[in-house]
Amino acid sequence: MTSARDTGAVETRLPSGLLARIEPDRWDAGSYQLVVDGTPQSHVDLDDPSRLFFEYVQRIGHVIDEWGDPGEPLTAVHLGAGALTLPRYIHATRPGSRQQVIELDEELVGFVREHLPLPRQSGIRLRYGDARATLARLPAALRGSVDIVAVDVFSGARIPAHVTSVEFYEELRAFLAPGGIIAVNIADGPGLAFARSQAATLQYVFAEVAILAETGVLKSRRFGNVVMAAGADSLPLDWMPRLMARGPHPATVTSGKDLTAWVAGAPITTDATAVASPAPSSGLFSTRR
């Protein structure tokens, strides 16, 4: 099998017409970035998959780290594959974990696996199809037994409407084990109307919700990512100081009354009212490090 180590930058035109490119990180040997249609999608360190690069992925990684005891295997479902950064991370930090990954674009995953191969016997099972529709095809035994659900579903640079609603999150909640957590990557711009609505929607469905973001993003200064964590029954709020301390900095972690105040007045999203997330400005991802 040919890997990116052998070929350097590689690219392919997907059936959708989008251009997918895997390119070495020139500042970090052994690391590679997946870029789709000019938008950075994933970053992978093949030498050490426990290293996470993108800010929001680090925050999701911190949430995963707080589940159970360090190194304890878990059961995870990932909606959205990218370069399989988080499944690789869980395999590296929690050997023996069982993982299911749902991805719409089979050709993209094939391209990634060809050039950024998964570890052997990784326990990562791939399923192809729409993130929401494919949930119904997951093994029945997973219902009520999943410890982590990671939601990072994008069509281009936008989150599709049908994975933002009360009905969708209720479907996910049915898979969570006691103490299970859903971690959602939300992208939004100044004003954060979409993110606030998503937080209100998660609060409607789940017992406890917390949000993690770079301080400037949460203050509505610029487009960015907000990670939302929701508990099947509750979230141990003693996590919060540790999550903030781990960064990336400057970091904000909000929950409880502060989160309720932050979302005040934001509408709850249903299938009938759902819309896709706002598109970033055209030049946002044009600059390389």
Side-chain angles (χ1 to χ4, degrees):
M1 178 179 290
T2 300
S3 79
R5 296 183 192 275
D6 306 313
T7 60
V10 290
E11 59 184 37
T12 187
R13 184 70 62 180
L14 301 171
S16 63
L18 300 180
L19 182 69
R21 178 179 173 87
I22 293 172
E23 54 193 33
D25 185 332
R26 56 179 136 166
W27 285 275
D28 194 356
S31 295
Y32 299 86
Q33 182 168 257
L34 171 66
V35 181
V36 179
D37 202 31
T39 300
Q41 296 282 333
S42 302
H43 186 281
V44 172
D45 185 335
L46 291 182
D47 295 327
D48 183 4
S50 69
R51 292 181 63 229
L52 300 176
F53 178 79
F54 289 163
E55 177 185 289
Y56 81 88
V57 179
Q58 291 180 47
R59 298 190 196 283
I60 294 176
H62 296 335
V63 171
I64 293 170
D65 291 344
E66 291 295 335
W67 180 90
D69 296 322
E72 180 182 354
L74 53 74
T75 299
V77 172
H78 304 264
L79 304 188
L84 299 157
T85 303
L86 282 172
R88 297 174 198 263
Y89 177 79
I90 289 175
H91 172 68
T93 60
R94 295 175 177 268
S97 294
R98 298 183 304 159
Q99 302 191 73
Q100 300 268 345
V101 181
I102 298 176
E103 169 59 45
L104 179 63
D105 196 331
E106 185 171 358
E107 291 79 9
L108 177 61
V109 174
F111 174 64
V112 167
R113 294 186 69 184
E114 177 182 357
H115 298 288
L116 302 174
L118 286 171
R120 293 183 178 180
Q121 300 179 332
S122 65
I124 299 169
R125 171 72 186 273
L126 287 150
R127 296 176 183 272
Y128 301 105
D130 174 81
R132 184 168 175 181
T134 307
L135 286 173
R137 303 207 305 267
L138 291 178
L142 282 178
R143 291 188 175 270
S145 65
V146 175
D147 303 307
I148 298 289
V149 177
V151 183
D152 191 15
V153 180
F154 282 77
S155 177
R158 304 181 71 184
I159 302 170
H162 70 294
V163 293
T164 66
S165 67
V166 164
E167 293 88 344
F168 168 67
Y169 290 127
E170 286 176 339
E171 291 179 43
L172 292 184
R173 186 183 61 187
F175 283 92
L176 290 180
I181 301 165
I182 175 175
V184 187
N185 174 35
I186 300 297
D188 201 3
L192 295 177
F194 181 82
R196 292 174 195 271
S197 179
Q198 284 298 283
T201 303
L202 287 165
Q203 283 186 317
Y204 182 84
V205 175
F206 294 93
E208 196 87 51
V209 179
I211 62 173
L212 305 82
E214 192 271 325
T215 301
V217 172
L218 213 58
K219 289 183 177 180
S220 303
R221 292 175 182 162
R222 60 178 178 81
F223 194 95
N225 298 85
V226 179
V227 170
M228 302 190 178
D233 30 45
S234 63
L235 288 175
L237 295 182
D238 61 328
W239 291 12
M240 301 308 146
R242 295 197 296 270
L243 291 176
M244 184 177 293
R246 289 183 181 185
H249 297 293
T252 298
V253 180
T254 303
S255 61
K257 293 181 179 179
D258 290 338
L259 180 58
T260 298
W262 186 76
V263 303
I268 294 169
T269 301
T270 67
D271 280 345
T273 62
V275 296
S277 66
S281 61
S282 58
L284 183 63
F285 301 116
S286 61
T287 301
R288 297 286 183 264
R289 291 191 308 146

